Amino acid sequence: MMETKRTKIAALLKSSEIDVNVVAKGWVRTKRGNKNVSFIALNDGSSINSIQVVADPGLIGEETLKNITTGASISVTGKLVASQGAGQSVEITAEAIEVLGVADPEKYPLQPKKHSLEFLREIAHLRPRTNTFSAIFRMRHAMSFAVHQFFNEKGFYYWHTPFVTGSDAEGAGEMFRVSTLDPINPPLNDDGTVDHSQDFFGKETNLTVSGQLEGELGAMALGDIYTFGPTFRAENSNTTRHLAEFWMIEPEMAFYDLTDNMDLAEEFLKYLVAYALENCADDLEFLEKRLLDEEKNKPAVERNDMSLTEKLRFVMENDFERLSYTEAIQILRNSKPNKKGKFQFPIDGWGADLQSEHERYLVEKHFKKPVILTDYPKDIKAFYMRMNDDGKTVGAMDILFPGIGEIVGGSQREERLDVLTDRMAEMNIPEEELDWYLDTRRFGTAPHSGFGLGFERLMIFVTGMGNIRDVIPFPRTPGSAAF
Ligand code: 4AD
Ligand code: MG
């Protein structure tokens, strides 16, 4: 007999070739039936949908069927036939089933009922076998692919920046140290400080908080580049929007001003959302239903008036609102929640950093659409942002999204050497440390801009999940680095 090759279940479900021999392999979701017939729902991760396998106990054998329990891995050989039952168009009539790996029903922790997201976070290897997480992680792949496709179509180069660096790009000092020195007995300098000249790299190093500074070197040679990699921040923010290890996409473009930068970021976000709608329909349908179920348990005032796909369409079809920080402060100062003392951080003067409650008020209550805020006070932004003529604000832009707050942060860069070094002196950033960076301003400097998109914040938005821990396979947060 000629051996049939395995076909993925996604392809079988779409197949128009009926009554052919097929092999399917996967994990058993459920088994039901009686002594005359067994129905097995088989899933291999290629689709949110499982295929139904119809097994005749007389043919397959009681002993084999006994081992076909939720979580077991099996290989099914049989015929793909039109299904009689509701809910699927094709199914497999099994001719032989091999159990590849049993899953003891007494011990298997995933039951065919709903588990809480928190419970599932504790069992990393089984989490992706659930409908919810397999849908999220398939979409994570699709969104990554879309990122590369967008930039490739535009002639951007994927530029790899280091994970281990000697600089603090954002100047926030929230870095994980990288060292091979003995933590108990490190070599010391005469003044008692640790002697990092004896460390692996001969200096103090840390995990990168952003690839931007190295990205700028790429842009000042290749024109348009983007980075897409892991980013590490030791900020003690235990929120549903922060991870200690997250993925960031950072395009950097020579000859772009702030408006070009905003135009690109808006186009990029819309492209990603459109890609999800077009390519992840089955997973989105599942996640949309999940969200509706969840919303039913919420008090009416907290419920979203838009479904997940409506929300995505809305972002795709509407222009983002653009306004300056100064205009935003005016709106916030005169807002109802501010006047009634409802903000945890009341807005009184100009100059304060916006909290996520303010960002979400602007997006969800005032404008009811994504917002791009520009021209922030220099004192609340990083050293590399371009100084405006007023001497008070910088050419920054943050994109704020419903349910999320800041999803993108970016700016036009300070390309004037003297202005940049003055800023660094003001902020106590030693020039020697960034000499390599300042060289781009010394030789052939040019206006340029860029931004950073937090990939997991995008994933929260497109999946409708409420917690950033649930859109990454192995979340790292303060106090938690399991698996
Ligand atoms: O605003 P941030 O800090 O900007 C930068 O790092 C710049 N170097 C970007 C650039 O201009 N090239 O971070 C950019 C984005 C934020 O808007 C947010 O979406 C995400 O990164 N982000 C985080 N996501 C998850 N967990 C965290 N702890 C994050 N911190 C920032
Ligand atoms: Mg930011």
XYZ file of all heavy atoms in Angstrom, residues 169-170 209-212 233 235 241-244 246-252 381 384-385 398-399 406-411 413 450-457 468, ligand 1:
355
model
N 19.495 53.941 26.063
C 18.927 54.750 24.983
C 17.836 55.696 25.462
O 17.730 56.813 25.000
C 18.377 53.835 23.900
N 17.019 55.238 26.403
C 15.896 56.069 26.819
C 16.236 56.936 28.020
O 15.421 57.736 28.463
C 14.676 55.198 27.116
C 14.092 54.527 25.878
C 13.716 55.540 24.802
O 12.913 56.437 25.081
O 14.263 55.437 23.692
N 17.240 48.568 26.133
C 15.885 49.083 26.365
C 15.272 49.605 25.068
O 14.101 49.961 25.018
C 15.855 50.208 27.426
C 16.271 49.682 28.785
C 16.733 51.388 27.008
N 16.097 49.660 24.009
C 15.628 50.141 22.709
C 16.769 50.005 21.711
O 17.929 50.229 22.055
C 15.229 51.617 22.808
O 15.249 52.228 21.529
N 16.451 49.647 20.483
C 17.479 49.547 19.446
C 17.660 50.845 18.678
O 18.387 50.903 17.683
N 16.996 51.892 19.151
C 16.942 53.122 18.356
C 18.293 53.750 18.025
O 18.551 54.121 16.885
C 16.071 54.160 19.065
C 15.985 55.472 18.290
C 15.457 56.590 19.150
O 14.532 56.372 19.919
N 16.033 57.767 19.029
N 13.061 45.923 29.966
C 12.955 47.081 30.865
C 12.687 46.630 32.286
O 11.702 45.946 32.552
C 11.857 48.027 30.393
C 12.240 48.631 29.049
C 11.476 49.870 28.681
N 11.899 50.282 27.349
C 11.341 51.233 26.646
N 10.327 51.911 27.153
N 11.795 51.531 25.454
N 11.517 48.129 34.701
C 10.656 49.077 35.411
C 9.671 48.270 36.235
O 9.144 47.262 35.774
C 9.929 50.022 34.434
C 9.207 49.318 33.301
C 8.686 50.263 32.231
O 8.465 51.437 32.529
O 8.482 49.810 31.096
N -0.356 46.452 31.008
C 0.202 47.001 29.775
C 1.732 46.921 29.718
O 2.326 47.390 28.770
C -0.199 48.487 29.625
C -1.680 48.751 29.642
C -2.325 48.309 28.349
N -3.762 48.429 28.388
C -4.596 47.434 28.712
N -4.132 46.248 29.024
N -5.889 47.619 28.717
N 2.341 46.394 30.775
C 3.807 46.383 30.836
C 4.365 44.971 30.973
O 3.867 44.175 31.766
C 4.318 47.204 32.034
C 4.145 48.673 31.850
N 2.997 49.323 32.190
C 4.990 49.608 31.346
C 3.136 50.618 31.908
N 4.331 50.827 31.394
N 5.421 44.699 30.222
C 6.203 43.478 30.385
C 7.650 43.899 30.644
O 8.067 44.975 30.195
C 6.154 42.632 29.110
C 4.828 41.936 28.783
C 4.847 41.438 27.349
C 4.574 40.783 29.747
N 8.405 43.043 31.329
C 9.826 43.332 31.517
C 10.607 42.930 30.266
O 11.686 43.451 29.996
C 10.351 42.583 32.739
N 9.667 42.580 26.258
C 8.641 42.708 25.223
C 9.327 42.885 23.875
O 10.551 43.018 23.806
C 7.695 43.880 25.521
C 8.352 45.238 25.539
C 8.267 46.097 24.439
C 9.045 45.674 26.662
C 8.867 47.346 24.465
C 9.649 46.937 26.684
C 9.563 47.765 25.590
N 8.547 42.842 22.823
C 9.114 42.976 21.479
C 8.755 44.346 20.927
O 7.616 44.800 21.079
C 8.593 41.864 20.565
C 9.204 40.539 20.905
C 9.054 39.857 22.088
C 10.089 39.757 20.091
N 9.790 38.693 22.043
C 10.425 38.605 20.832
C 10.611 39.908 18.798
C 11.271 37.614 20.328
C 11.443 38.914 18.306
C 11.777 37.793 19.061
N 9.744 44.994 20.342
C 9.475 46.329 19.810
C 9.908 46.398 18.347
O 10.894 45.790 17.944
C 10.200 47.401 20.638
C 9.858 48.807 20.190
S 9.976 50.101 21.460
C 11.592 49.892 22.108
N 9.131 47.149 17.583
C 9.445 47.408 16.178
C 9.854 48.873 16.096
O 9.084 49.744 16.513
C 8.206 47.163 15.304
C 7.768 45.704 15.419
C 8.477 47.542 13.848
C 6.303 45.541 15.652
N 11.056 49.134 15.614
C 11.536 50.516 15.565
C 12.044 50.896 14.175
O 13.203 50.646 13.848
C 12.649 50.725 16.607
C 12.162 50.592 18.035
C 13.221 50.933 19.074
O 14.050 50.050 19.374
O 13.235 52.071 19.551
N 11.169 51.502 13.361
C 11.654 52.021 12.086
C 12.381 53.350 12.288
O 12.069 54.101 13.209
C 10.368 52.230 11.270
C 9.288 52.351 12.271
C 9.717 51.652 13.520
N 13.365 53.597 11.446
C 14.128 54.850 11.516
C 14.372 55.296 10.078
O 14.846 54.507 9.254
C 15.444 54.590 12.256
C 16.205 55.829 12.654
C 15.534 56.633 13.777
O 14.910 56.055 14.674
O 15.646 57.872 13.732
N 10.672 64.108 28.032
C 11.018 63.232 26.910
C 12.528 62.991 26.830
O 13.315 63.660 27.496
C 10.502 63.848 25.606
C 8.975 63.789 25.473
C 8.493 62.343 25.313
C 6.990 62.253 25.152
N 6.500 60.862 25.198
N 17.226 62.665 22.793
C 17.482 62.668 21.343
C 16.383 63.348 20.518
O 16.481 63.431 19.311
C 17.675 61.230 20.843
C 16.551 60.302 21.269
C 15.261 60.428 20.729
C 16.756 59.313 22.221
C 14.232 59.599 21.128
C 15.721 58.464 22.628
C 14.470 58.619 22.072
O 13.444 57.808 22.476
N 15.314 63.814 21.167
C 14.210 64.390 20.400
C 14.530 65.819 19.962
O 15.153 66.577 20.688
C 12.930 64.352 21.225
C 12.513 62.924 21.552
S 10.860 62.838 22.198
C 10.697 61.058 22.444
N 3.306 60.650 20.190
C 2.831 59.415 20.806
C 1.487 59.081 20.177
O 0.652 59.978 20.009
C 2.627 59.594 22.319
C 3.920 59.421 23.105
O 4.993 59.315 22.470
O 3.850 59.407 24.352
N 1.283 57.827 19.839
C -0.036 57.419 19.334
C -0.781 56.695 20.448
O -0.243 55.779 21.074
C 0.074 56.539 18.077
C 0.860 57.289 16.993
C -1.310 56.141 17.581
C 0.915 56.597 15.657
N -0.870 54.544 25.285
C 0.233 54.683 24.327
C 0.574 53.353 23.646
O 0.910 52.382 24.292
C 1.474 55.208 25.053
C 2.651 55.375 24.122
C 3.957 55.681 24.855
O 3.927 56.184 25.982
O 5.020 55.387 24.262
N 0.496 53.350 22.322
C 0.876 52.145 21.574
C 2.164 52.403 20.789
O 2.950 51.493 20.548
C -0.290 51.667 20.669
C -0.043 50.258 20.114
C -0.572 52.647 19.532
C -1.277 49.604 19.517
N 2.372 53.677 20.399
C 3.575 54.069 19.654
C 4.178 55.293 20.323
O 3.459 56.201 20.746
C 3.229 54.410 18.185
C 4.332 55.246 17.533
C 2.992 53.146 17.362
N 5.512 55.307 20.411
C 6.216 56.511 20.848
C 7.319 56.802 19.849
O 8.034 55.890 19.447
N 7.444 58.055 19.436
C 8.482 58.366 18.450
C 8.783 59.846 18.411
O 8.251 60.627 19.205
N 9.657 60.237 17.492
C 10.020 61.653 17.388
C 10.826 61.915 16.127
O 11.333 60.990 15.488
C 10.878 62.082 18.588
O 12.192 61.565 18.474
N 14.419 63.358 15.241
C 15.638 63.315 16.044
C 16.389 64.644 15.945
O 16.338 65.319 14.911
C 16.558 62.180 15.576
C 15.867 60.852 15.298
C 15.013 60.351 16.450
N 14.525 58.981 16.206
C 13.584 58.387 16.935
N 12.979 59.022 17.921
N 13.225 57.142 16.668
N 11.885 58.603 13.629
C 11.551 57.195 13.823
C 10.567 57.033 14.958
O 10.209 57.995 15.632
N 10.118 55.804 15.141
C 9.190 55.532 16.243
C 9.320 54.081 16.686
O 9.971 53.272 16.020
C 7.744 55.863 15.853
C 7.185 55.050 14.698
C 6.616 53.795 14.914
C 7.209 55.554 13.396
C 6.085 53.062 13.857
C 6.682 54.823 12.331
C 6.116 53.565 12.566
N 8.711 53.792 17.813
C 8.703 52.424 18.331
C 7.275 51.969 18.562
O 6.483 52.686 19.176
N 6.949 50.788 18.048
C 5.639 50.185 18.308
C 5.843 48.994 19.237
O 6.623 48.086 18.931
C 4.995 49.705 16.996
C 3.774 48.773 17.126
C 2.591 49.493 17.767
C 3.371 48.202 15.770
N 5.155 49.006 20.370
C 5.207 47.859 21.281
C 4.376 46.735 20.683
O 3.161 46.858 20.567
N 5.050 45.646 20.314
C 4.349 44.578 19.576
C 3.223 43.961 20.420
O 2.135 43.676 19.901
C 5.359 43.494 19.160
C 4.777 42.442 18.267
C 4.183 42.780 17.057
C 4.813 41.101 18.631
C 3.639 41.807 16.221
C 4.281 40.117 17.799
C 3.689 40.472 16.596
N 3.468 43.770 21.719
C 2.425 43.165 22.549
C 1.246 44.122 22.754
O 0.120 43.676 22.931
C 2.986 42.718 23.903
C 3.808 41.433 23.823
C 5.175 41.625 23.193
O 5.641 42.787 23.164
O 5.784 40.637 22.732
N 1.511 45.423 22.736
C 0.370 46.357 22.846
C -0.484 46.260 21.588
O -1.709 46.313 21.642
C 0.866 47.780 23.084
C 1.612 47.880 24.409
C 1.368 49.176 25.139
N 2.112 49.139 26.397
C 2.616 50.205 26.987
N 2.439 51.407 26.466
N 3.265 50.087 28.124
N -1.617 42.074 28.984
C -0.460 41.890 28.092
C 0.227 40.536 28.319
O 0.843 39.987 27.405
C 0.518 43.075 28.255
C 1.460 43.173 27.043
C 1.295 42.983 29.566
C 2.173 44.512 26.919
O 7.930 55.152 24.141
P 9.095 54.209 24.187
O 9.825 54.072 25.458
O 10.030 54.667 22.994
C 11.260 54.167 22.689
O 11.784 53.224 23.219
C 11.859 54.821 21.479
N 13.293 54.471 21.439
C 11.128 54.411 20.242
C 11.697 55.043 18.988
O 11.453 56.209 18.779
N 12.421 54.279 18.192
O 8.585 52.749 23.751
C 7.945 52.562 22.510
C 6.735 51.670 22.659
C 5.657 52.228 23.576
O 4.840 53.139 22.896
C 4.922 50.968 23.971
O 4.031 50.554 22.944
C 6.022 49.946 24.048
O 7.107 50.430 23.272
N 6.491 49.714 25.427
C 6.184 48.623 26.152
N 5.443 47.547 25.870
C 5.331 46.595 26.814
N 5.927 46.652 28.021
C 6.691 47.720 28.363
N 7.296 47.767 29.545
C 6.847 48.768 27.393
N 7.524 49.939 27.377
C 7.295 50.491 26.177
